[in-house]
């Protein structure tokens, strides 16, 4: 099918730089998700790949061939838009047929391609309806059908689920993943929702301010974020950060926060520390572990804190509190009732600690 | 606590509510008086078309007609006196082709102004828009001399050229606003589906503009149909004469036809615009709603 190569891609709108130098190789049949906060240039990237925006600088290759100046229809890419962008005056069938008719395919081939997509997406009952007579989820399917019938080399999705309610969004997310597995088409997907990114992607590309901050598999990004921004962006609730500094004694570095000390593992973080260096420690909510009162004699707690409020989700409870002026969230895996203002003991799971340079925000890791 | 419906005194409520409207009778009187300004001429026309010339001169102009039969003679005689057949054909051509072309060109301009980026976009729009600001009469004298010079005065082509051109700006204004509200992702989808620029315009944009296009077409058609000034100055020869122009025969100082004929002719002349409006009413209303004209 297709590989996509992006080399030093830049996009400027007048004087405004929307994308400032993106390099990326997208593998054949892979599912790549661009994720990042709103306005970071994800849509702009996708639209350049689609051919809807001129690439200001850099090279884009499809299957090794430079396509910077190839118009959208000749690129063999299909796009599903956030608003679905169905043709309101055409029936579902006509929406699906439009591109094939423009391609001047023979009628039997048009029919067979449309049927294939219709069966795949189960939209048979609505074929003769206009888009206005469809629900959001049905429109979404038709929009995907319109992309599928073209049998493109690359599928592009721009926040396709953001107009759906939460339940339908989860359902469609799974369907998109299944569909991609089944069709084996290189797919590029844009979202600001990190859950979509984590669940859909073979490769996540995290963007900020028009540059790629990190790319890798979901687990790589989750476990080894390249910097504090990514660590905070991926994962819900987001990672907790505690400011502190390094204290050296006999060549062993210790993280000193406000009111607590944590050992810094040489094997994980290396040895390049200096006395007084600013650091930020990061713990995911599940790594700030609430301790049971009854067993307190055995388990040593790192600190005590009063619970501000709780979110009981049934299978788990989120505890919101603050310690030494820093707010944090802890995930209680075996929920019990927790009263507001209850004082609880917490322990850091030091094995899962993340460390970031206090000034640059870059992750610190053993070389 | 739910109120049992049997306990409601409907008559009392109605009386109370009516009492509050009763106090408004002075305004009703004023409204009725003002509406006479519209009703009387209409009534005058309605009674006059059923009268013969003799009957009209003998009685009070506002008296009721003696019967309905004279209308047939009035109609035939008005039609023949004013050569209304030719006028109808000419005006229909000016109206349908002129307004049709104008709206189509306006749609193309609106597409360009909203979908294609080019230099000084706003300048070009303001230039077209200027066409709706100045009263058309200022074009009259320059046009007359220019038409005379290039020899298209008193020609079908000249008339059509003027009507088409003068009817473009307003639809551009309306359609540009409308197109600005239409999803751009829709035409991008079409472009990705392999549509050329013209294809996008023709197969995607136009079908979604039927409402405002019909509305502006009707307005421009009616304007062309009712135009007297320009057709008198630019197209006064009998072969190119418009319907409104042809009615002027009843107005000349040598005319022998009475008001009964004049009014019958006027009524006949205004029928097509009314019929067209009734036929396209649904589209017209829809177009008005979305465009907020
Ligand atoms: N057509 C445009 N003209 C000017 N600036 C634009 C245009 N499209 C996007 N931008 C700017 O480029 C940046 C990236 O936008 P976009 O790619 O849409 O972000 P997102 O990651 O939310 O999809 C934003 O700052 C946006 O304001
Ligand atoms: Mg976007």
């Amino acid at each position: 099918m297709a590989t996509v190569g992006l080399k030093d891609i830049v996009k400027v709108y007048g004087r405004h730089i929307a994308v400032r130098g993106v390099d990326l190789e997208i593998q054949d049949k892979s599912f790549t998700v661009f994720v990042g906060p709103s306005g970071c240039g994800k849509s702009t990237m996708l639209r350049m790949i689609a051919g809807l925006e001129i690439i200001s600088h850099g090279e884009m290759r499809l299957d090794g061939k430079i396509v910077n100046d190839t118009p959208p229809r000749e690129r063999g890419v299909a796009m599903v838009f956030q608003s679905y962008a169905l043709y309101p005056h055409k029936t579902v069938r006509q929406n699906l047929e439009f591109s094939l008719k423009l391609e001047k395919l023979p009628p039997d081939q048009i029919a067979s391609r449309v049927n294939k997509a219709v069966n795949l997406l189960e939209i048979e009952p609505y074929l003769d309806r206009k888009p206005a007579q469809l629900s959001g989820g049905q429109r979404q399917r038709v929009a995907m059908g319109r992309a599928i019938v073209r049998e493109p080399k690359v599928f592009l999705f721009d926040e396709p689920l953001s107009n759906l309610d939460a339940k339908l969004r989860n359902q469609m997310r799974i369907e998109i993943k299944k569909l991609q597995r089944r069709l084996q088409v290189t797919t590029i997907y844009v979202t600001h929702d990190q859950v979509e990114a984590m669940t859909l992607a073979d490769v996540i590309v995290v963007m900020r301010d028009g540059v790629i901050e990190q790319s890798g598999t979901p687990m790589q990004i989750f476990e080894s974020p390249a910097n504090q921004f990514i660590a905070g962006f991926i994962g819900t609730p987001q990672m907790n950060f505690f400011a502190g500094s390094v204290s050296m004694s006999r060549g062993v570095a210790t993280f000193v926060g406000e009111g607590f000390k944590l050992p810094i593992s040489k094997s994980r973080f290396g040895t390049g520390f200096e006395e007084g260096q600013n650091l930020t420690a990061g713990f995911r909510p599940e790594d700030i572990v609430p301790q049971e009162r009854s067993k307190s004699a055995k388990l040593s707690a790192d600190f005590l804190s009063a619970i501000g409020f709780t979110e009981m989700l049934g299978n788990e409870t989120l505890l919101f509190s603050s310690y030494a002026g820093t707010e944090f969230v802890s995930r209680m895996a075996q929920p019990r009732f927790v009263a507001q203002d209850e004082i609880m003991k917490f322990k850091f799971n030091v094995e899962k600690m993340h460390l970031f340079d206090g000034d640059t925000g870059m992750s610190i890791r053993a070389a | 606590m739910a109120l049992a419906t049997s306990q409601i005194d409907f008559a009392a409520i109605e009386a109370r509510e009516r009492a509050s409207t009763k106090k408004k009778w002075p305004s009703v009187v004023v409204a009725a008086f003002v509406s006479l300004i519209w009703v009387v001429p209409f009534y005058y026309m309605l009674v006059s078309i059923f009268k013969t010339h003799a009957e009209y001169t003998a009685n009070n102009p506002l008296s009721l007609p003696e019967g309905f039969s004279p209308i047939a003679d009035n109609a035939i005689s008005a039609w023949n006196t004013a050569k209304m057949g030719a006028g109808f054909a000419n005006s229909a051509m000016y109206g349908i082709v002129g307004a049709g072309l104008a709206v189509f060109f306006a749609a193309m301009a609106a597409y360009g102004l909203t979908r294609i980026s080019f230099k000084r976009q706003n300048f070009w729009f303001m230039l077209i828009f200027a066409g709706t600001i100045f009263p058309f009469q200022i074009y009259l004298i320059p046009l007359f001399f220019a038409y005379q010079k290039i020899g298209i005065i008193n020609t079908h082509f000249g008339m059509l050229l003027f009507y088409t051109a003068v009817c473009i700006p307003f639809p551009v204004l309306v359609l540009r606003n409308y197109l600005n509200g239409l999803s751009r992702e829709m035409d991008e989808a079409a472009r990705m589906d392999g549509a050329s620029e013209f294809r996008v315009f023709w197969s995607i944009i136009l079908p979604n503009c039927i409402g405002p296009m019909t509305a502006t077409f009707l307005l421009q058609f009616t304007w062309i149909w009712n135009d007297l000034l320009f057709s008198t100055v630019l197209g006064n020869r009998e072969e190119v004469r418009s319907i409104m122009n042809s009615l002027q025969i009843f107005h000349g100082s040598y005319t022998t036809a009475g008001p009964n004929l004049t009014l019958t002719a006027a009524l006949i002349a205004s029928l097509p615009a009314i019929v067209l409006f009734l036929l396209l009413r649904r589209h017209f209303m829809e177009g008005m709603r979305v465009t907020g004209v």
Side-chain angles (χ1 to χ4, degrees), chain A residues 198-247:
Chain A
M198 288 295 288
T199 50
L200 286 171
D202 297 322
V203 176
I204 290 185
V205 177
V206 185
M207 285 188 73
R208 177 166 64 157
D209 289 343
V211 292
I212 293 181
E213 293 269 315
Q214 187 177 8
S215 66
T217 65
M219 274 336 268
Q220 276 169 356
I221 304 270
F222 187 80
E223 288 179 345
S224 321
N227 57 42
Q228 196 177 335
F229 164 75
I230 297 167
F233 191 76
I234 302 287
T236 43
Q238 71 159 293
M239 189 184 278
N240 302 290
F241 298 109
F242 297 89
S245 59
V246 176
S247 153

Side-chain angles (χ1 to χ4, degrees), chain A residues 319-336:
Chain A
L319 306 171
F320 293 79
S321 180
S322 70
Y323 181 67
T326 308
E327 302 202 346
F328 69 89
V329 189
S330 160
R331 178 176 270 137
M332 192 180 214
Q334 271 98 42
R336 62 171 175 82

Side-chain angles (χ1 to χ4, degrees), chain B residues 89-195:
Chain B
N90 284 330
S91 276
M93 197 271 277
Y94 300 147
I96 293 169
V97 179
L101 280 178
V103 170
F104 180 71
F105 289 145
M108 294 214 283
Y111 179 84
L113 286 167
T114 57
R115 295 301 196 273
I116 301 169
S117 71
F118 54 90
K119 270 196 183 142
R120 309 238 172 87
Q121 210 157 6
N122 230 30
F123 165 79
W124 290 110
F125 171 66
M126 291 314 281
L127 193 68
I128 301 172
F129 179 58
T132 64
I133 295 175
F134 304 109
F136 293 149
Q137 286 80 343
I138 65 170
Y139 307 133
L140 193 62
I141 305 303
L143 266 178
F144 176 76
F145 287 115
Y147 267 41
Q148 219 171 26
K149 197 153 200 177
I150 53 179
I152 52 172
I153 197 132
N154 288 325
T155 62
H156 282 120
F157 172 76
M159 295 295 287
L160 204 52
L161 185 67
F162 166 73
Y163 283 134
T164 304
V166 85
C167 284
I168 287 176
F170 177 67
V172 169
L173 181 68
V174 172
L175 290 171
R176 174 177 171 270
N177 285 348
Y178 184 77
L179 284 191
N180 261 333
L182 272 190
S183 158
R184 261 148 242 261
E185 287 196 340
M186 185 176 76
D187 29 301
E188 284 173 350
R191 221 157 280 152
M192 297 214 59
D193 268 351

Side-chain angles (χ1 to χ4, degrees), chain A residues 39 42-44 82 158-159 190:
Chain A
K42 310 175 297 282
S43 295
T44 306
Q82 182 171 357
D158 191 355
E159 312 228 6
V190 159

